[in-house]
Amino acid sequence: MSRQYPRRGRSRGVRRRGRPVLGWLVVVALLIAAAVLVGRAVRVPVPGRHPAAGPPQTEVQVFFVRTAPGGRSQTLAAARRRVPRGPDTALAAEAVRALLDGPSRAERSHGLTSEIPPGTALRALTLSGRVATVDLGVAFAQGGGSSSMLARVWQVVYTATQFPDVSSVRLLIGGRRVATLGGEGLMIGAPLRRPAAVPTF
């Protein structure tokens, strides 16, 4: 008479094989979840660009005033500023704004000043043909004698005409065309070009 043995051993074997499989599934799931979290947290930088880098910039000149030894005369002197890149109209506007801000403390210590009155604002700058129309606030026309008026006009003209697309400057004061500036009647009604030689005042 044959004996029938219970199948306890075989069922236990199945359970033993099932536990490692379940453990591996848990490990794999944890690894996938960790990879997803790491992928969200880490930003891969784009080659050639720093994540915190701002817009590309370029260098422009702003023209201040330097007094000759002995204080007998003044002339223009260029300083450099970095501004965002753009078309010549935008660059000219940025350069004029930097000019109106005046020289830095270091530049003042080296003798650079500005004859443009503090508080002068750039209302607008437009370009038609190669003529830049620079509309300045009314403070630009206030105070100063003939030398001061001449210096401030040339500061603006030289600063705006450093770009290839700008050959001359038409000045507006408070949105209006003005024929003369100051008590001496400096003529500014027509567009102004750079003279052949840097002016002295």
Side-chain angles (χ1 to χ4, degrees), residues 2-188:
S2 61
R3 295 182 179 180
Q4 294 182 353
Y5 294 96
R7 297 181 178 179
R8 294 178 181 176
R10 188 174 300 175
S11 62
R12 287 178 183 175
V14 171
R15 284 197 296 271
R16 287 172 185 169
R17 288 193 298 270
R19 287 175 183 174
V21 172
L22 181 60
W24 279 111
L25 290 175
V26 172
V27 171
V28 170
L30 290 174
L31 290 174
I32 292 174
V36 171
L37 291 176
V38 170
R40 289 178 179 177
V42 176
R43 295 181 180 180
V44 180
V46 178
R49 291 193 63 185
H50 193 279
Q57 293 192 324
T58 189
E59 199 172 69
V60 298
Q61 292 182 321
V62 293
F63 286 83
F64 296 123
V65 175
R66 186 187 300 279
T67 302
R72 299 179 189 178
S73 64
Q74 296 177 311
T75 188
L76 297 180
R80 298 185 180 278
R81 296 288 187 271
R82 294 197 65 79
V83 300
R85 287 182 184 174
D88 281 357
T89 308
L91 289 177
E94 291 289 346
V96 172
R97 289 191 188 97
L99 170 67
L100 300 181
D101 288 340
S104 66
R105 181 178 299 179
E107 290 163 346
R108 287 185 181 277
S109 69
H110 286 83
L112 296 186
T113 60
S114 178
E115 289 296 332
I116 298 174
T120 300
L122 176 64
R123 292 165 45 89
L125 190 151
T126 57
L127 188 63
S128 179
R130 297 183 65 199
V131 179
T133 299
V134 181
D135 186 1
L136 299 170
V138 294
F140 183 79
Q142 296 175 354
S146 58
S147 294
S148 177
M149 291 294 178
L150 193 60
R152 68 184 70 173
V153 166
W154 287 127
Q155 283 184 253
V156 174
V157 171
Y158 268 71
T159 297
T161 57
Q162 66 185 285
F163 308 102
D165 288 347
V166 183
S167 62
S168 60
V169 172
R170 175 182 288 112
L171 287 174
L172 303 183
I173 307 298
R176 298 172 53 244
R177 289 193 181 186
V178 178
T180 60
L181 189 66
E184 299 289 332
L186 177 62
M187 303 293 291
I188 61 168

